[in-house]
Amino acid sequence: MSKITPVLLAGGSGTRLWPASRKAFPKQFAPLIGPESLFQASARRLSGPGYAAPVVMTNADFRFIVAEQLDQIGIKHDAIVIEPEGRNTAPAILAAALRVAETDPQALVLVAPSDHVIPDSAAFAAAVEEGAKAARQGRIVTFGITPTRPETGYGYLQVEGQGEGALPLRRFIEKPQAPQAEAMLAEGGYLWNAGIFLFAAQTMIDAFSAHAPDYLEPVQAAVDGAINDLGFLRLARGPWKGLRDESIDYAVLEKADNLSVVAYSGHWSDLGGWDAVWRELQDKSPAPRGAVTDAHSTAIDCDNVLLRSDSADMQVVGIGLKDTMVVATSDAVLVAPMDRAQDVKHAVAALKGQGRKQAVAFPRDHRPWGWFETLALADRFQVKRIVVKPGAALSLQSHVHRSEHWIVVSGTAKVTVDDTVTLVTENQSIYVPLGAVHRMENPGKVPMVLIEVQTGVYLGEDDIIRYEDVYARQTGD
Amino acid sequence: MSKITPVLLAGGSGTRLWPASRKAFPKQFAPLIGPESLFQASARRLSGPGYAAPVVMTNADFRFIVAEQLDQIGIKHDAIVIEPEGRNTAPAILAAALRVAETDPQALVLVAPSDHVIPDSAAFAAAVEEGAKAARQGRIVTFGITPTRPETGYGYLQVEGQGEGALPLRRFIEKPQAPQAEAMLAEGGYLWNAGIFLFAAQTMIDAFSAHAPDYLEPVQAAVDGAINDLGFLRLARGPWKGLRDESIDYAVLEKADNLSVVAYSGHWSDLGGWDAVWRELQDKSPAPRGAVTDAHSTAIDCDNVLLRSDSADMQVVGIGLKDTMVVATSDAVLVAPMDRAQDVKHAVAALKGQGRKQAVAFPRDHRPWGWFETLALADRFQVKRIVVKPGAALSLQSHVHRSEHWIVVSGTAKVTVDDTVTLVTENQSIYVPLGAVHRMENPGKVPMVLIEVQTGVYLGEDDIIRYEDVYARQTGD
């Protein structure tokens, strides 16, 4: 029997977990629960004997993060597919199905978000096994979570009949009001819609043919016209950009008559807000009085609070708080009652309106070659910490408005300044005059850390002329 | 008529306004309300035609801060007196009285805390004028604030009789419980004890002779043995360290029978907690729904909150909060209900117990020559921003475990490395090898800013051998 191809949806940039999740580095890539990121935990869950290498659907901004995080946990991908623009789940899932069908139209595809928490891998694997039987018979299988509370934040699935294994789906139900949620919980036969789907590739293509045929031709063209860009599969922008923005639920599933549901009664969360993060952490390791803290936060006489600091340099202290979340990073802090968790996205919108950099970006800026962060920024100088991965190189570049002093503090740098190439090692420095064509590389086996001191009248990231770039970056990449 | 000598008490290191106030730089030196520090506003209030140059009572840690802050507002001091150890207000006030009496025993002395808010300078001056009449007749005059609410956080003064001007004091009343506070407010004839006193120097010395004679000899010895240390008056440690730790109220005033009270009905606050800061700011410039914010904080649907960030790099966001304080600095954030303001000191004690640097110190470390802050600290390297005042110099020093790269980013440095002296200007760098004897000076007219990159296996501040120091600093200074 052929293996199941996991399709991980990793293009989202939710703001409900701000300030720890931002557009530049959203929640699926952050270690919110435990040491691995949600994306890594999702990829690991869908790996092993029964699974083929995963397809990851993402966008240009996240491609290097995806590649690095898979590499860290030793999972080889089938493809990291770059959607030229976000068009919701319908075309992303069709593109993945078309790609898998090229090899084997009957191969099973498991589509899953990459930002959910499903700690019980064995129970989830058993549910997938049940689903696979139905999927091989031409069903589109959705997975429904057995509800444990009258949640109003999720959509529901109504099951037809009773019994084990895959059952027919009677209907989708939108996020309910509280009385309806309570009634469904009491009545039984309703499950939370987890947004996880299992189907044979051809089954999904046929469903699009029947219910959303306008997608087929342009998505096929985007897949056929995809270019391999340093190991990333860039879908063709032309056919993609005209696509309707629609979820797979609206575009296809709600109209299809071959849907089945497999109930999953293990633990699951979509981590849709800080209240959910608090609940997960409290479930995992109950804190006295529900006061969930971390290594950099202190709760004094608090009940049912989440006090969280992502930075060793930021100490959070809560006194006498109840049902409150305090989430701090090195450059922002959010404070709100737990029941206002869903309003965090409005706060992010407000900050964006004020032009605050914290709305979308982190101090640490991830690049294909490593990362950098600004340590000090003043009118006429800037200090950065730059970390370059072993074997990586920055682009060959020059600046019009600034000169740079580089001091290597860990590892060894290979530095090109105009026609001279120098090896600069720990505790050595080098000067890059204004206008000089220069490049920084790490030829070593350990990360290279360098302190850069820029001086000049203009210090923006856009004062850069690129001559060569091994990562084939385009403007704004 | 001789002028009044202000004696500013500036040795306190309260923790109730943590994280903005810490032992290393307490609230009187911070710009909590408006652009000047509370200390500066206090010094300014007690300056002008009727006043002699002030005497400031402080400790070794704060001496350079006091000198710099007076200099900034153009006030020349009579003396910055360094108490070898904190012994509460009784000996500090006696020492000041003895110093003033050396010149003129009948000269008036006005003792005032330096961390209170008294915005109406004219009304306060009028009260002082009333008090001076009584002080010249041998009375010890206290100033009482006309209460505006049944405050339980202050001591009270009960006045004898009614009328204008200085009235006899009947008795001191400890911080009351709420019912007693309400009764006093309703009854009238009670004032808040502001801890401000006016007397002729000899009157206070006589009061000590009568009521606390054991202080006289050692405090006189500490004043007589004081040494002038670069313009600071260091009281002799020997006689000082054996003194009883007692407030002027307990030691003398509660036993004296020559006390008068002048009522001050203008605005006053001791800023004894963040609730008081909120009240001041809200009084000064009422915010809609009482949501007091600053340039780096955003309130969404909040009522009666103080959202405060002292750093442009720290964005504070509150959603749906009521009666809550959120105070952030670049390295700590405090969140508490307004009515828990007095518990902040317990939080600081808890952090201190955990060994957190944020309990006592700020990232920015003030020194006589300027200040520095750590921008990045790792196992084997540290990056600092160092700002040196015009004309100032660091000590001539060497390190056993680290070498240093210095890059000047603003102004000009005069750098000594072993036998070589070099002028290093903007965008130039210099290397200080491990073990080299070196010194950094600012020979210019503008502040000099330098980025220091240290590398080595040990980077503690105590890896320093000092050869010469223009500030005559002792170990641990």
Coordinates of all heavy atoms in Angstrom, one line a residue, chain A residues 29 111 131 140 151 161-162 168 196 206 233 302 304 330 333 425 436 445:
Chain A
F29 N 6.0 28.7 13.9 CA 7.4 28.5 14.0 C 8.0 28.8 15.4 O 9.2 28.7 15.6 CB 8.1 29.4 12.9 CG 7.6 29.2 11.5 CD1 7.0 30.2 10.8 CD2 7.8 27.9 10.9 CE1 6.6 29.9 9.5 CE2 7.3 27.7 9.7 CZ 6.7 28.7 8.9
V111 N -3.9 16.5 4.6 CA -3.7 18.0 4.8 C -3.9 18.4 6.2 O -4.9 18.0 6.8 CB -4.7 18.8 3.9 CG1 -4.5 20.3 4.1 CG2 -4.5 18.4 2.4
G131 N -9.3 6.6 9.0 CA -9.6 7.5 7.8 C -9.1 6.9 6.5 O -9.8 7.1 5.5
I140 N -13.7 11.7 1.0 CA -12.9 12.8 1.6 C -13.2 12.7 3.1 O -14.3 12.9 3.5 CB -13.3 14.2 1.0 CG1 -13.0 14.2 -0.5 CG2 -12.5 15.3 1.7 CD1 -13.5 15.5 -1.2
E151 N -17.6 25.1 23.3 CA -16.7 26.1 22.7 C -17.5 26.8 21.6 O -18.1 26.2 20.7 CB -15.5 25.3 22.1 CG -14.5 26.2 21.4 CD -13.8 27.2 22.3 OE1 -13.3 26.8 23.3 OE2 -13.8 28.4 21.9
G161 N -25.4 9.1 12.0 CA -25.4 7.8 12.6 C -24.4 7.7 13.7 O -23.8 8.6 14.2
Q162 N -24.2 6.4 14.2 CA -23.3 6.2 15.3 C -22.4 5.0 14.9 O -22.7 4.2 14.0 CB -24.1 5.8 16.6 CG -24.9 7.0 17.1 CD -25.6 6.6 18.4 OE1 -26.0 5.5 18.6 NE2 -25.7 7.6 19.3
P168 N -20.5 8.9 7.8 CA -20.8 10.0 6.9 C -21.0 11.3 7.6 O -21.4 11.4 8.8 CB -22.2 9.5 6.3 CG -22.3 8.1 6.6 CD -21.5 7.8 7.9
I196 N -8.5 19.2 9.4 CA -7.5 18.1 8.9 C -8.3 17.2 7.9 O -9.4 16.7 8.3 CB -7.0 17.3 10.1 CG1 -6.4 18.2 11.1 CG2 -6.0 16.3 9.6 CD1 -6.0 17.5 12.4
D206 N -11.2 15.6 -8.5 CA -12.6 15.4 -9.0 C -13.6 16.3 -8.2 O -14.5 16.8 -8.9 CB -13.0 13.9 -8.8 CG -12.2 12.9 -9.7 OD1 -11.5 13.4 -10.6 OD2 -12.2 11.7 -9.4
L233 N 10.1 25.2 -4.4 CA 9.2 25.2 -5.6 C 8.3 26.4 -5.7 O 7.4 26.5 -4.9 CB 8.4 23.9 -5.6 CG 7.8 23.5 -6.9 CD1 8.8 23.1 -7.9 CD2 6.8 22.4 -6.7
C302 N -1.5 35.3 42.7 CA -2.2 35.4 41.4 C -3.0 34.1 41.3 O -2.6 33.0 41.7 CB -1.3 35.6 40.2 SG -0.5 37.2 40.1
N304 N -5.1 31.9 38.2 CA -5.4 31.6 36.8 C -4.9 32.7 35.9 O -5.6 33.4 35.2 CB -7.0 31.5 36.6 CG -7.5 30.4 37.4 OD1 -6.9 29.3 37.6 ND2 -8.7 30.6 38.0
S330 N 11.2 40.9 24.3 CA 12.2 42.0 24.6 C 11.8 43.3 24.2 O 12.3 44.3 24.6 CB 13.5 41.6 24.0 OG 13.4 41.7 22.6
V333 N 4.9 44.2 25.5 CA 4.2 43.4 26.5 C 2.7 43.7 26.3 O 2.3 44.8 26.0 CB 4.7 43.8 27.9 CG1 4.5 45.3 28.2 CG2 3.9 43.0 28.9
T425 N 39.4 36.1 12.5 CA 38.9 35.2 13.6 C 38.7 35.9 14.9 O 38.8 37.1 15.0 CB 39.9 34.0 13.7 OG1 39.4 33.0 14.5 CG2 41.3 34.5 14.3
A436 N 32.9 50.5 -0.4 CA 33.6 49.3 -0.7 C 32.7 48.1 -1.0 O 31.7 48.0 -0.4 CB 34.6 48.9 0.4
K445 N 32.9 25.4 10.6 CA 32.0 24.3 11.0 C 31.1 24.7 12.2 O 30.3 24.0 12.6 CB 32.8 23.1 11.4 CG 33.7 22.5 10.3 CD 32.9 22.0 9.1 CE 33.8 21.5 8.0 NZ 33.1 21.5 6.7

